[in-house]
Amino acid sequence: MTTSLNKAALDQIFYEAHSAHAFKKSDLTDVQIKEIYDLFKWAPTAFNAQPARLVFVRSAEAKAKLLPTLMPGNVPQVESAAVTVIVAYDTKFFNHLPLQFPVYDAKPIFENNPTLTEQAAFRNSSMQGGYLITAVRALGFDCGAMSGFDADAVNAAFFPEGDCKANFLLNIGVADPAGVYPRNPRLNFEDAVKIL
């Protein structure tokens, strides 16, 4: 076991962090995007499968493809964010298992079982999405997750080959204080947890 992070780090990642709904004008460079990925990639997934596929939508052309897929209320968030990440999952993630999980041949578990593959890909990419939020905050950026979009339209626009499917969107940048709302309450321990 290692020591706990200090309070400032915990505040930045959890206690004082808020979902951003508007962003100041800022850029996210290729170097910064790679830094986010290089931190995020170390978090665990089942079978080390790493099914998440990330599309960092930054250019005006790419945002123009994404904007029509959004619920109208989410358009300003994407327009103001330095980058919007499409957190997707690869339904053929098992093709990487021989390299990613060399302990034994796990590829056949998924290769001929599309239901299990879909469940594993969605579940683990969702976990990876949480890790992405943590990595973004740990590196000093603000973010806000979104699910108000037409997934089929995003898939058609960004994943026409059909192997990857959108899970959720994550806006990243420098938060505009006007788009950071007071924290909503969280469930009490007794309402959310059982110790058996």
Side-chain angles (χ1 to χ4, degrees), residues 13-188:
I13 298 170
F14 292 106
Y15 295 121
E16 299 299 326
H18 289 250
S19 293
H21 299 278
F23 297 86
K24 296 179 180 178
K25 183 167 178 52
S26 65
D27 294 317
L28 205 64
T29 67
D30 290 358
V31 170
Q32 290 168 321
I33 290 171
K34 188 172 187 307
E35 185 180 16
I36 290 169
Y37 179 78
D38 285 342
L39 180 58
F40 146 91
K41 71 182 181 183
W42 295 110
T45 53
F47 292 96
N48 196 32
Q50 304 168 59
R53 301 295 179 263
L54 310 176
V55 178
F56 285 78
V57 177
R58 183 177 62 185
S59 70
E61 295 78 15
K63 284 196 177 189
K65 281 174 57 176
L66 183 60
L67 291 175
T69 72
L70 305 175
M71 292 176 59
N74 287 335
V75 168
Q77 296 177 54
V78 170
E79 288 179 325
S80 66
V83 169
T84 299
V85 184
I86 303 170
V87 178
Y89 58 93
D90 184 356
T91 60
K92 300 287 177 64
F93 70 85
F94 50 76
N95 287 325
H96 297 277
L97 287 180
L99 177 64
Q100 299 303 122
F101 191 73
V103 178
Y104 63 85
D105 186 10
K107 183 177 177 182
I109 296 171
F110 300 99
E111 190 171 24
N112 298 310
N113 190 336
T115 301
L116 179 64
T117 297
E118 180 83 16
Q119 291 172 348
F122 180 76
R123 181 178 299 120
N124 284 277
S125 71
S126 297
M127 288 193 317
Q128 287 185 280
Y131 302 145
L132 180 62
I133 291 168
T134 304
V136 166
R137 289 175 170 178
L139 293 173
F141 301 102
D142 300 302
C143 61
M146 290 189 342
S147 61
F149 65 96
D150 181 335
D152 290 336
V154 170
N155 293 339
F158 292 91
F159 309 111
E161 72 288 346
D163 290 344
C164 291
K165 297 181 181 181
N167 187 337
F168 70 94
L169 306 179
L170 183 68
N171 295 311
I172 303 174
V174 176
D176 180 341
V180 177
Y181 308 132
R183 186 182 294 286
N184 288 317
R186 299 303 197 258
L187 289 172
N188 293 323

